[in-house]
């Protein structure tokens, strides 16, 4: 296969950030190439996020990749909080003037974007790991990668690192060019995918003395469920029966109600980190999505932030290559970081409010319940949650 030797924008990584950026650039007539280290099947199978903000859906529609999403995604107008033996529903449209979220798995977004890109372009190479990037401070960048057993190079005007939290592009930036702010959380999630109908029509976020639980879904027949577990937990310590029993307890099952059980098709432990790299650009190298920042998943923000970054970036490149104005590209990092820090703040709030930290006292637990009670009884507190969950209207 002949691979291009030069392009305008080289995109490293075919997760949601890289694929959506490629699609948006393609629609603006800006030449780009996507290089992905894994194979297509692996990228399409990776189980991750499940909630799309309205702004993300709007971007996918503008990118003309929302045909299946518009048929299959399920709008959600609220979430349920369970705590202290109580249930409280947070109604998004009432509290936010009409905003909502959509249940449509990241795997499906990725499949839709890949199918379209392989049909219409721009070039997308799987099994093409990038191992070095050079030239951030020069007038041209070089990307070194391997494909079909051969070492290759791609020169370009700009490189965008959409290669996730463990990617290579961030590490290619000169020492001292960026600063990383981070926090490791003292607990993880055990996530499962089960062939069982969702327990409830909306997501349930449950606080309990035994730790946090989340009941989400992928379809009318497939549930996605999470349990807080200690860091370093081995999934093998959680046979299926133990998982269902624990979910029942944390979600407040009683004599008249318990989860409908089914075969578990995937089981893994996800550590949690918050991290932001500032700035998100140095010279000709830019970072987007998880390559620049990660959030703990309780706020459902990771994928939505990635979509937000590349929307800003695509508009900036359109300005540069269309009218020759680099103003938006200059502002890229600052524009994104404002929204990123709001998402970090909200994700940290959801995490600390809902999880039981090791060594937490009964005082800590009562404070959490008081916080949740405040959301349940104050429209202002509920609106703050609803606005953040559905996505803040920041440019
Ligand atoms: P991705 O999806 O990690 O994609 C990065 C892509 O880059 C490729 N890559 C390389 N390609 C070429 N050369 C290299 N040297 C490369 N190194 C890496 C990778 O193979 C991959 O295809 O990042 P992106 O596009 O920024 O998208 C971000 C989202 O994936 C992420 O924010 C969310 O999925 C976060 N996240 C979750 N968010 C939620 O809102 N809810 C969740 O339940 C949830 N679960 C998760 C998650 C993230 C996880 N990771 C990253 C560990 C579960 C996991 C396991
Ligand atoms: C999911 O469906 O995977 C999901 C939903 C909401 C979250 C995290 C994960 O906050």
């Amino acid at each position: 296969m002949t691979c291009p030797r030069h392009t305008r924008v080289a995109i490293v990584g075919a997760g949601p950030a890289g694929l959506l950026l490629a699609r948006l650039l393609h629609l603006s007539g800006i030449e780009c190439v996507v290089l992905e280290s894994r194979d297509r099947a692996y990228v399409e199978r990776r189980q991750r996020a499940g909630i799309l903000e309205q702004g993300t859906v709007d971007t996918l529609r503008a990118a003309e990749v929302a045909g299946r999403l518009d048929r299959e995604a399920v709008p959600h107008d609220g979430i349920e909080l369970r705590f202290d033996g109580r249930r409280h529903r947070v109604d998004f449209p009432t509290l936010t003037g009409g905003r909502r979220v959509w249940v449509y798995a990241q795997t499906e977004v990725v499949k839709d974007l890949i199918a379209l890109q392989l049909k219409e372009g721009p070039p997308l190479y799987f099994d093409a790991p990038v191992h070095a990037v050079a030239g951030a401070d020069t007038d041209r960048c070089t990307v070194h990668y391997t494909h079909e057993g051969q070492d290759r190079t791609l020169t370009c005007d700009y490189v965008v690192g959409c290669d996730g939290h463990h990617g290579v592009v961030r590490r290619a930036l000169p020492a001292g060019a960026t600063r990383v702010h981070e926090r490791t959380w003292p607990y993880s999630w055990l996530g499962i995918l089960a062939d069982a109908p969702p327990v409830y029509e909306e997501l349930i976020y449950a606080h309990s003395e035994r730790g946090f639980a989340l009941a989400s879904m992928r379809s009318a027949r497939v549930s996605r469920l999470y349990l807080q577990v200690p860091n370093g937990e081995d999934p093998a310590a959680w046979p299926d029966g133990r998982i269902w029993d624990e979910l029942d307890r944390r979600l407040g099952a009683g004599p008249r109600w318990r989860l409908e059980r089914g075969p578990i098709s995937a089981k893994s432990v996800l550590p949690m980190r918050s991290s932001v790299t500032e700035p998100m650009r140095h010279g000709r190298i830019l970072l987007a999505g998880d390559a620049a920042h990660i959030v703990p998943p309780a706020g459902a923000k990771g994928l939505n932030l990635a979509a937000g970054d590349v929307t800003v970036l695509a508009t900036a490149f359109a300005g540069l290559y269309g009218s020759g104005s680099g103003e938006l590209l200059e502002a890229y990092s600052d524009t994104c970081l404002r929204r990123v820090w709001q998402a970090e703040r909200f994700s940290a709030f959801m995490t600390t409010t809902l999880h039981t930290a090791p060594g937490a006292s009964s005082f800590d637990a009562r404070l959490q319940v008081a916080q949740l009670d405040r959301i349940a009884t104050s429209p202002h507190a509920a609106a703050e949650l609803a606005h953040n969950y559905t996505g803040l209207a920041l440019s």
Side-chain angles (χ1 to χ4, degrees):
M1 191 190 298
T2 44
C3 300
R5 306 286 296 273
H6 181 79
T7 190
R8 279 184 157 172
V9 181
I11 299 172
V12 184
L19 291 165
L20 183 55
L21 177 61
R23 176 69 187 162
L24 295 171
L25 293 183
H26 180 67
L27 290 175
S28 299
I30 300 168
E31 193 184 78
C32 62
V33 172
V34 180
L35 300 170
E36 164 61 46
S37 56
R38 303 292 195 143
D39 63 47
R40 180 179 178 183
Y42 181 92
V43 171
E44 291 188 341
R45 260 201 322 264
R46 217 165 17 196
Q47 276 304 321
R48 291 198 176 163
I51 295 288
L52 305 184
E53 292 173 3
Q54 182 68 54
T56 304
V57 171
D58 292 344
T59 301
L60 293 167
R61 285 182 180 150
E64 299 167 20
V65 66
R68 194 161 69 92
L69 182 150
D70 278 329
R71 289 191 304 277
E72 296 179 15
V74 182
H76 276 208
D77 285 343
I79 56 170
E80 185 168 290
L81 300 174
R82 291 196 181 173
F83 62 100
D84 206 24
R86 295 158 62 186
R87 301 167 58 159
H88 177 76
R89 180 169 183 273
V90 178
D91 187 276
F92 297 149
T94 318
L95 293 160
T96 63
R99 299 176 77 87
R100 49 173 34 178
V101 295
W102 302 78
V103 171
Y104 192 67
Q106 180 168 329
T107 43
E108 307 312 306
V109 174
V110 163
K111 278 186 219 161
D112 295 345
L113 284 163
I114 288 175
L116 197 58
Q117 188 166 345
L118 291 177
K119 191 163 135 221
E120 296 184 6
L124 162 59
Y125 298 102
F126 291 103
D127 296 306
V130 169
H131 34 85
V133 174
D137 294 309
T138 66
D139 59 1
R140 175 172 279 206
C141 279
T142 309
V143 178
H144 299 270
Y145 67 105
T146 310
H147 189 51
E148 295 175 334
Q150 306 225 352
D151 285 340
R152 296 176 196 261
T153 55
L154 174 68
T155 57
C156 54
D157 299 349
Y158 292 93
V159 177
V160 185
C162 297
D163 50 347
H165 187 56
H166 302 288
V168 296
V169 177
R170 184 159 37 102
R171 283 183 268 132
L173 296 174
T178 56
R179 195 168 160 202
V180 180
H181 308 275
E182 59 191 339
R183 173 184 292 180
T184 302
W185 295 88
Y187 26 70
S188 301
W189 279 10
L190 173 73
I192 64 158
L193 207 57
D195 296 322
V199 45
Y200 180 60
E201 67 227 26
E202 294 179 336
L203 270 62
I204 304 172
Y205 288 79
H207 172 274
S208 87
E209 282 169 6
R210 304 178 65 89
F212 171 69
L214 169 61
S216 181
M217 63 200 71
R218 289 292 176 265
S219 71
R221 288 176 309 279
V222 177
S223 296
R224 177 78 167 147
L225 297 147
Y226 299 97
L227 285 170
Q228 176 190 341
V229 293
N231 280 345
E233 190 81 333
D234 181 357
W238 287 85
D240 295 5
R242 182 180 176 204
I243 293 176
W244 290 114
D245 289 348
E246 193 60 27
L247 283 165
D248 272 344
R249 287 196 198 98
R250 293 191 195 178
L251 290 166
R256 282 177 293 122
W257 176 89
R258 61 169 228 162
L259 284 149
E260 197 171 317
R261 301 183 178 196
I264 294 178
S265 59
K267 191 188 292 186
S268 58
V269 170
L270 320 173
M272 274 183 221
R273 252 176 150 192
S274 302
S275 173
V276 181
T277 299
E278 290 183 335
M280 291 166 58
R281 172 186 178 189
H282 177 80
R284 292 184 174 271
I285 299 184
L286 302 104
L287 304 173
D290 277 18
H293 41 71
I294 51 172
V295 285
K301 289 282 160 263
L303 168 61
N304 294 295
L305 280 182
D309 289 351
V310 298
T311 308
V312 173
L313 190 50
T315 309
F317 277 131
L320 182 74
Y321 289 114
S323 59
S325 163
E327 206 177 315
L328 292 176
L329 201 58
E330 288 303 319
Y332 167 68
S333 177
D334 288 346
T335 305
C336 291
L337 284 170
R338 236 182 108 212
R339 190 170 26 80
V340 166
W341 278 112
Q342 288 303 322
E344 291 289 352
R345 180 190 58 75
F346 176 64
S347 303
F349 164 78
M350 291 291 277
T351 305
T352 48
T353 302
L354 292 164
H355 292 71
T356 304
S361 65
S362 60
F363 184 85
D364 297 327
R366 297 317 296 166
L367 279 188
Q368 289 176 316
V369 169
Q371 175 65 62
L372 291 161
D373 184 44
R374 181 79 189 141
I375 294 166
T377 51
S378 154
H380 293 291
E384 172 66 5
L385 188 156
H387 277 285
N388 281 278
Y389 195 95
T390 55
L392 294 177
L394 295 170
S395 59

